Amino acid sequence: MIERVTRETIVREKGYLYYIGKDGYVWRIPTKLNPKGTRAKVGTEKIPRVDGYMYFLDKQGFVARVKMESEIETRAGPACPPGPYELDSGEYQEVPLDVDRGERLQGRLVEEDGQDFDWVIVDERNSVAVHQGEDYHSELGNDHVSADHIDWRVPSGGPWYLILEIPYRQNSRSVRVELKRLAKP
């Protein structure tokens, strides 16, 4: 909800960008389309800032603010069930990851008997490519590991998947997945 925080009206001029300076007053700076313009303080009313709000000039020229809602609500907790996930020779397990853009995923993957396995993290489009046996792009991954550490920031909206695999002609594997979303600092 938008609320006005000043009684003063700022008259806008073309070719300027308006902002609330660190000093609490409204300032203007020339845009690139206005090379002869000058930077100047244009407000006389000091605006007390409150954390968690975005301040701006509304259409009528009043300084207003709106409470910022984080684009990303970070949720601490497990990103997927821990398993163990059973892998047979030449097959793979796809584990959906409960993560959102900007969240940090951290944890480890451990094969219970110390045997090698491969893993990748892929988005939905690349997950489909894996299912169809086509070339795919993984966001993160590693081959021939018996245990591995993951520390990854989710770059975009999902869904995202962890794919666990063992090469052909090898014995079954049992992989424990201990991945968690970290809370905002």
Side-chain angles (χ1 to χ4, degrees):
M1 173 180 221
I2 297 172
E3 78 180 282
R4 287 187 177 159
V5 294
T6 61
R7 294 190 186 130
E8 176 181 30
T9 303
I10 305 296
V11 178
R12 292 177 186 253
E13 294 179 46
K14 278 190 161 208
Y16 287 96
L17 176 69
Y18 293 83
Y19 68 97
I20 315 310
K22 289 182 182 180
D23 61 359
Y25 293 98
V26 178
W27 286 78
R28 73 174 190 194
I29 57 171
T31 64
K32 289 187 178 189
L33 300 174
N34 183 6
K36 294 182 181 180
T38 58
R39 179 177 181 240
K41 182 165 83 172
V42 294
T44 58
E45 192 175 341
K46 188 169 185 171
I47 295 108
R49 287 183 171 243
V50 177
D51 285 342
Y53 285 88
M54 180 178 69
Y55 292 81
F56 60 96
L57 278 180
D58 68 13
K59 289 180 181 180
Q60 290 78 35
F62 293 99
V63 175
R65 71 180 182 185
V66 65
K67 186 157 182 66
M68 290 190 296
E69 293 183 28
S70 176
E71 180 182 340
I72 305 155
E73 283 189 33
T74 303
R75 308 154 292 143
C80 62
Y85 294 92
E86 302 300 325
L87 305 175
D88 289 324
S89 180
E91 295 182 3
Y92 62 88
Q93 276 275 2
E94 182 178 82
V95 181
L97 297 174
D98 182 17
V99 294
D100 291 322
R101 179 176 146 219
E103 289 183 324
R104 189 167 164 207
L105 182 69
Q106 194 174 68
R108 66 185 187 149
L109 310 172
V110 179
E111 202 288 323
E112 294 186 331
D113 294 322
Q115 301 292 319
D116 287 354
F117 66 96
D118 303 341
W119 67 272
V120 293
I121 294 178
V122 295
D123 62 10
E124 186 172 44
R125 184 174 56 84
N126 286 289
S127 168
V128 170
V130 169
H131 285 284
Q132 294 175 342
E134 298 172 356
D135 288 340
Y136 63 90
H137 168 75
S138 65
E139 190 66 31
L140 194 65
N142 213 342
D143 294 336
H144 310 296
V145 294
S146 59
D148 213 352
H149 175 76
I150 295 176
D151 190 353
W152 176 62
R153 184 159 315 270
V154 181
S156 62
W160 289 93
Y161 302 93
L162 169 67
I163 296 180
L164 303 167
E165 182 180 23
I166 57 172
Y168 284 100
R169 299 189 188 121
Q170 292 194 10
N171 296 332
S172 298
R173 305 282 192 269
S174 184
V175 179
R176 209 170 52 250
V177 176
E178 299 167 0
L179 298 176
K180 60 187 177 279
R181 293 179 307 270
L182 299 182
K184 281 185 179 179

